[in-house]
Amino acid sequence: MANALITGILGQDGPYLAKLLLEKNYKVYGMIRRYSTPQFDNLDYLGITNKIEYIEGDLTDDASLLNIIKNVRPQEVYNLAAQSFVGSSWEQAKLTTEINAVGVLNLLSAIKLFSPTSKFYQASTSEMFGLGNDNGYQDENTPFHPRSPYGISKVYAHWMTVNFRESYGMFACSGILFNHESPIRGIQFVTRKISDGVAKIKVGLAKDLLLGDLEPKRDWGFAGDYVEAMYKMLQQEKPEDFVVATGETHTVKEFVELAFKTAGIDNWQSYVKSDPRFKRPAEVPHLQGKSDKAQKALGWKPKTPFPDLVKMMVEADIKRYQDKNK
Ligand code: NAP
Ligand code: F7E
């Protein structure tokens, strides 16, 4: 039986990836950091909480990683753990760097020492492009110009992954994924904040929705589709880096309009209020990925169109509130 270690198992992508690997008969180890009350809600949502073997560890604690890699010797390691919220990365720049940059070095070093044949996936991001090639698409050849401490930390981790591959011949891949969302997306990210806010307005629990800049454009896909690309990257004969994206871009405002419309509310302008607290010191104005390489080499394709994604998220949040009231 193949085995895999997933860090960040309690987040959004961890549960979708774990579900995919369990369906392929993997034994899945999930690394969780020490918490007084760990939150298994996302794994519960996908019905797989009891199918995973949990191990305590933290990317910033290199001894914990050495022990895990030594004991498990996973065939595949998916490093999804991160301080992933761009907005907080200015206030907690050092912590973001320790987890997202140095943490990845810790994990790669542990693998090199105790399980050098493990295949490694690094969760890289379109935030590394930032302002790079703002006039068109971003692909594997687009220069990086990160705009946040988060983006900068991920550039370090990306190049460290490439460097372990080039220096030690390790099977280390970097998946440069554009924004991907789902009904279990963290509540502070804009899509889920909108779907949750619209649901609260729909059921009468809120009167308005406070947002920052509505003009930035993002290439939004469905997390369930994107974890397939992660898996496929580690099944290749040789390790490479891939952009994963839909190729479509939409403004935050377009997401807002469609979310309200999906809930049967026409006049979104009456509910959405601008709040400068949600604006960023430096914005990434336009992301639109070109995933031709992944489509050709991995046979991967995004399956969920933008309107279906918005509908899935809004309907899931409305159902959550309706179920609570039963
Ligand atoms: P997420 O929901 O924020 O999940 C991240 C997970 O990392 C959380 O479960 C968190 O644990 C864990 N974590 C944080 N600090 C840790 C530490 N020091 N040690 C161990 N675990 C730690 O993120 P996601 O949306 O699933 O994204 C997965 C990965 O892909 C992240 O690396 C993110 O940066 C990257 N990425 C995401 C997107 C996207 O659009 N979703 C796009 C490109 C790249 P707790 O539950 O304990 O807080
Ligand atoms: O912001 C704008 C905000 O926080 C999207 C992470 O998964 O994807 C994510 O990063 C846009 C930005 O995601 C609000 O300024 C307006 O332009 O949902 P977000 P993100 O920053 O794109 C990348 C690929 C990752 O790797 C990250 O880990 O929406 N925006 N008003 C707002 N954003 C938030 N959060 N809240 C607002 O009220």
Side-chain angles (χ1 to χ4, degrees):
M1 189 193 261
N3 70 352
L5 170 71
I6 302 177
T7 72
I9 189 82
L10 303 180
Q12 171 189 250
D13 292 1
Y16 281 106
L17 177 64
K19 187 161 189 280
L20 179 79
L21 296 179
L22 288 167
E23 283 162 6
K24 294 183 185 298
N25 280 327
Y26 275 62
K27 175 158 181 60
V28 177
Y29 294 87
M31 190 179 93
I32 54 174
R33 46 183 178 169
R34 203 265 151 194
Y35 249 115
S36 46
T37 323
Q39 295 293 323
F40 292 92
D41 299 11
N42 292 348
L43 289 156
D44 287 345
Y45 188 85
L46 296 184
I48 56 168
T49 307
N50 298 327
K51 299 193 173 145
I52 288 156
E53 185 157 334
Y54 300 99
I55 318 175
E56 256 188 35
D58 192 303
L59 282 188
T60 61
D61 182 344
D62 43 359
S64 72
L65 302 177
L66 288 164
N67 276 327
I68 291 172
I69 297 297
K70 193 175 166 195
N71 294 332
V72 176
R73 290 185 197 272
Q75 282 151 304
E76 296 173 10
V77 178
Y78 295 88
N79 181 38
L80 308 185
Q83 189 304 90
S84 78
F85 187 51
V86 174
S88 295
S89 75
W90 280 274
E91 280 78 37
Q92 299 187 47
K94 190 175 174 212
L95 181 66
T96 302
T97 306
E98 278 167 359
I99 298 172
N100 299 2
V102 183
V104 179
L105 173 60
N106 291 341
L107 184 53
L108 281 164
S109 302
I111 295 170
K112 175 174 169 272
L113 208 57
F114 287 118
S115 188
T117 56
S118 295
K119 293 178 176 181
F120 178 79
Y121 173 86
Q122 168 57 17
S124 290
T125 164
S126 49
E127 281 296 300
M128 301 190 304
F129 296 124
L131 282 184
N133 192 21
D134 185 38
N135 292 325
Y137 290 97
Q138 294 91 25
D139 67 12
E140 291 81 3
N141 300 315
T142 305
F144 297 146
H145 182 150
R147 294 272 282 171
S148 63
Y150 170 80
I152 295 163
S153 70
K154 286 284 188 173
V155 170
Y156 174 95
H158 169 79
W159 283 118
M160 201 47 89
T161 302
V162 173
N163 191 253
F164 268 65
R165 180 170 78 217
E166 292 178 351
S167 304
Y168 309 118
M170 281 168 52
F171 195 110
C173 302
S174 170
I176 307 176
L177 271 53
F178 283 60
N179 299 52
H180 45 279
E181 319 294 313
S182 73
I184 55 170
R185 180 59 143 152
I187 200 82
Q188 71 274 51
F189 299 95
V190 79
T191 55
R192 182 73 200 291
K193 185 175 170 184
I194 295 166
S195 65
D196 179 72
V198 166
K200 277 192 184 134
I201 290 167
K202 177 78 179 169
V203 302
L205 287 173
K207 290 196 165 60
D208 50 24
L209 173 58
L210 307 179
L211 292 172
D213 193 345
L214 300 186
E215 296 310 320
K217 290 184 169 169
R218 290 291 181 274
D219 179 332
W220 279 298
F222 171 49
D225 296 345
Y226 283 38
V227 296
E228 286 178 16
M230 297 177 187
Y231 168 75
K232 283 174 179 247
M233 278 179 223
L234 295 202
Q235 313 314 313
Q236 292 294 290
E237 263 179 32
K238 59 182 178 67
E240 284 184 67
D241 308 321
F242 294 91
V243 157
V244 176
T246 71
E248 252 186 56
T249 193
H250 298 275
T251 59
V252 175
K253 193 195 283 174
E254 282 170 331
F255 196 105
V256 168
E257 281 170 351
L258 200 50
F260 275 92
K261 206 170 155 207
T262 302
I265 307 169
D266 291 331
N267 50 337
W268 67 269
Q269 290 93 338
S270 321
Y271 298 99
V272 173
K273 309 263 176 333
S274 173
D275 188 329
R277 282 179 305 162
F278 301 112
K279 294 196 174 160
R280 294 179 177 171
E283 186 54 81
V284 172
H286 175 232
L287 289 175
Q288 188 167 10
K290 195 172 184 185
S291 60
D292 292 12
K293 183 182 172 190
Q295 300 208 18
K296 203 163 167 229
L298 306 178
W300 176 86
K301 258 193 183 148
K303 295 181 197 145
T304 313
F306 180 68
D308 293 9
L309 175 67
V310 177
K311 189 167 182 278
M312 182 198 314
M313 294 179 71
V314 171
E315 286 181 350
D317 277 319
I318 292 176
K319 185 170 180 309
R320 274 193 186 99
Y321 286 111
Q322 285 172 341
D323 288 350
K324 264 189 205 159
N325 287 341
K326 273 184 192 158

